[in-house]
Amino acid sequence: MLAVPKYGFVVLAVPKSGSTALEAAFTKHAQLVTSGPPSLKHVTAREFDERFVPLLEQHGYARADYEVTALVREPVSWLASWWRYRSRPGIAGKRTYVGDLGFDEFVGRVVTGEIRLRPQTDYVTSPDGRLAVDRLWRYDDLDSAFEWMRAKVGKKKIKLPQRNVSPPREHEVTAATRDLIEEAYAADLTLYRSLG
């Protein structure tokens, strides 16, 4: 999570959505950055409201002073990124390693819950399903989100670095696998499409 309330925004770090690059770009302008562990980096909108809004208020940043924003990714692309990321040679032998799985098998294990990946909607919606952030971007529009943030900060020299990029790994998405993903992550897909 990247809190830049002095310049009017907070970025919730939805996993595999470009938040590490945004953190690298704006950390020096931030008032609060939670880059690890994952339970702190990837706080949900609800957790942000409960834990960080009061903290920022104690330091002079009222909730009305900033917009909470995040990025979400198309579910097939999101899962493919997770699959590539967890296939890194450096984590071979660890519990999260999936380099020995094809994409279809990985998706099958995610859908059955054997591999747990929290839906993106969990990070940006309230328990009743309502959008709980002020501004939501498609991951495909990362450049637009960055430009919006850069304009808020008012520093033209800020660059968007590549960070946490998943290694290349070829795969094809079969129609059956696409259907499985779109059914299992239907709420994520609906949210993503609503931003188009």
Side-chain angles (χ1 to χ4, degrees):
M1 186 268 302
L2 174 76
V4 197
K6 178 179 177 181
Y7 295 104
F9 67 96
V10 167
V11 181
L12 298 183
V14 177
K16 306 309 297 167
S17 68
S19 55
T20 303
L22 292 170
E23 179 185 314
F26 293 104
T27 288
K28 79 177 205 174
H29 304 287
Q31 286 65 63
L32 179 65
V33 179
T34 61
S35 54
S39 59
L40 274 175
K41 179 175 182 170
H42 300 296
V43 297
T44 66
R46 181 174 160 202
E47 291 165 339
F48 176 77
D49 286 345
E50 291 172 356
R51 294 167 26 196
F52 293 100
V53 167
L55 178 64
L56 292 173
E57 284 177 348
Q58 288 173 11
H59 295 278
Y61 301 106
R63 177 60 183 88
D65 294 342
Y66 56 87
E67 290 183 73
V68 176
T69 187
L71 291 96
V72 292
R73 194 167 184 161
E74 188 276 326
V76 175
S77 170
W78 180 71
L79 282 175
S81 182
W82 268 119
W83 175 69
R84 290 190 309 273
Y85 180 72
R86 288 188 171 191
S87 297
R88 300 183 324 274
I91 65 165
K94 293 188 178 177
R95 180 181 56 81
T96 57
Y97 181 71
V98 299
D100 53 342
L101 302 180
F103 184 63
D104 289 348
E105 187 177 356
F106 170 72
V107 169
R109 291 187 184 188
V110 169
V111 169
T112 63
E114 184 179 338
I115 296 173
R116 173 81 174 110
L117 294 178
R118 192 174 193 176
Q120 296 173 86
T121 49
D122 282 7
Y123 295 92
V124 297
T125 60
S126 60
D128 64 1
R130 288 181 297 108
L131 190 61
V133 297
D134 302 310
R135 185 180 295 261
L136 193 60
W137 308 84
R138 281 183 168 194
Y139 172 79
D140 316 37
D141 295 328
L142 178 59
D143 288 340
S144 297
F146 168 72
E147 289 300 336
W148 178 82
M149 293 170 200
R150 185 162 71 172
K152 295 280 241 179
V153 173
K155 308 276 186 192
K156 294 201 181 289
K157 290 186 178 179
I158 298 172
K159 302 290 183 210
L160 183 64
Q162 284 199 325
R163 290 283 194 275
N164 206 20
V165 177
S166 299
R169 189 172 181 201
E170 293 300 317
H171 70 286
E172 282 191 34
V173 181
T174 64
T177 296
R178 180 174 294 281
D179 289 347
L180 198 58
I181 294 169
E182 290 183 357
E183 182 179 332
Y185 288 94
D188 282 7
L189 183 60
T190 298
L191 181 64
Y192 174 82
R193 286 179 173 165
S194 75
L195 302 174

